[in-house]
């Protein structure tokens, strides 16, 4: 039995969960999310507890068991608390500023870069060196943060670029002249 797949998911009091036609729908204080589960996996909802059930022990079904449980837990967590990714900008002249709902980045290119957040994602820049990505969908928050980071990933010589808040960038020694 999958260690992750067999763990029950407690439904918080403020959340309404329904399961029909292979889709789990959760509605909470932050919003509403839906998750389509793969074919062999089934769901039991009893006494404010969700359990993910698999019909047999085939290798593919065992893999989907833990995955389905983790994705379902992410949906419940998202509608209750939401998800946040924080990015730091390092480098002389590199900065971020908000233009309405859009993010304008100056990253050393000949032009500013405009980032338009997808639906369901909120981007803030409390100061010129910090970007905060918020949303209820964990995958969409992570993908949006990764797209912003990819615009100017941190380089290993001076550490300039966009990095996650607690990301460690290993520094390399530069070239040395022959003596």
């Amino acid at each position: 039995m999958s260690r992750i797949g067999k763990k029950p998911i407690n439904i918080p009091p403020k959340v309404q969960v329904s399961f029909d036609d292979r889709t789990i729908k959760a509605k909470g204080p932050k919003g509403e999310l839906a998750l389509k589960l793969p074919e062999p996996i089934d769901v039991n909802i009893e006494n404010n507890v969700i359990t993910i059930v698999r019909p047999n022990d085939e290798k593919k079904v065992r893999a989907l068991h833990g995955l389905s449980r983790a994705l379902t837990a992410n949906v419940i967590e998202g509608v209750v608390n939401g998800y946040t990714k924080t990015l730091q900008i390092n480098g002389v002249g590199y900065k971020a500023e908000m233009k309405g709902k859009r993010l304008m980045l100056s990253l050393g290119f000949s032009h500013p870069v405009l980032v338009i957040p997808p639906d369901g994602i909120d981007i803030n820049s409390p100061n010129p060196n910090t970007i905060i990505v918020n949303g209820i969908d964990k995958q969409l928050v992570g993908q949006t943060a990764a797209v912003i980071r990819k615009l100017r990933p941190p380089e290993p010589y001076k550490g300039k670029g966009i990095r996650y808040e607690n990301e460690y960038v290993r520094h390399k020694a530069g070239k040395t002249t022959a003596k």
Side-chain angles (χ1 to χ4, degrees):
M1 191 67 139
S2 167
R3 280 185 240 158
I4 292 175
K6 68 181 178 182
K7 287 173 67 176
I9 303 166
N10 293 322
I11 302 173
K14 301 174 260 179
V15 178
Q16 300 169 354
V17 178
S18 64
F19 179 69
D20 56 301
D21 195 32
R22 311 233 43 86
T23 303
I24 290 181
K25 293 180 182 174
K27 187 174 184 180
K30 294 272 186 177
E32 190 171 340
L33 282 176
L35 171 69
K36 183 132 175 82
L37 291 177
E39 185 57 41
I41 302 299
D42 200 19
V43 173
N44 290 335
I45 302 174
E46 297 173 346
N47 300 330
N48 287 336
V49 175
I50 301 173
T51 51
I52 308 295
V53 182
R54 68 176 188 221
N56 56 38
D57 284 341
E58 293 177 17
K59 187 171 184 174
K60 182 180 178 186
V61 176
R62 286 193 323 244
L64 291 173
H65 188 212
L67 172 73
S68 299
R69 191 265 177 210
L71 292 177
T72 304
N74 289 344
V75 166
I76 301 297
E77 179 70 22
V79 297
V80 174
N81 299 323
Y83 290 98
T84 301
K85 289 267 186 185
T86 304
L87 300 160
Q88 299 290 328
I89 302 175
N90 294 335
V92 177
Y94 291 8
K95 64 179 181 174
E97 61 180 300
M98 296 303 296
K99 298 279 187 186
K101 295 255 180 208
R102 299 173 175 175
L103 180 69
M104 183 73 71
L105 296 168
S106 299
L107 299 173
F109 299 123
S110 62
H111 58 281
V113 179
L114 182 68
V115 177
I116 301 170
D119 292 337
I121 296 296
D122 184 35
I123 298 177
N124 293 323
S125 182
N127 60 47
N129 296 329
T130 306
I131 302 168
I132 300 173
V133 181
N134 293 316
I136 61 172
D137 188 350
K138 185 175 185 177
Q139 293 171 335
L140 194 56
V141 168
Q143 181 65 37
T144 305
V147 166
I148 294 171
R149 181 185 181 275
K150 191 174 180 181
L151 294 171
R152 183 67 92 172
E155 53 98 9
Y157 296 103
K158 291 185 178 179
K160 294 175 16 174
I162 302 174
R163 67 178 78 186
Y164 295 114
E165 185 176 34
N166 294 321
E167 180 180 4
Y168 174 73
V169 177
R170 195 165 165 182
H171 289 281
K172 293 181 178 180
K175 290 183 179 180
T176 57
T177 57
K179 292 187 181 188

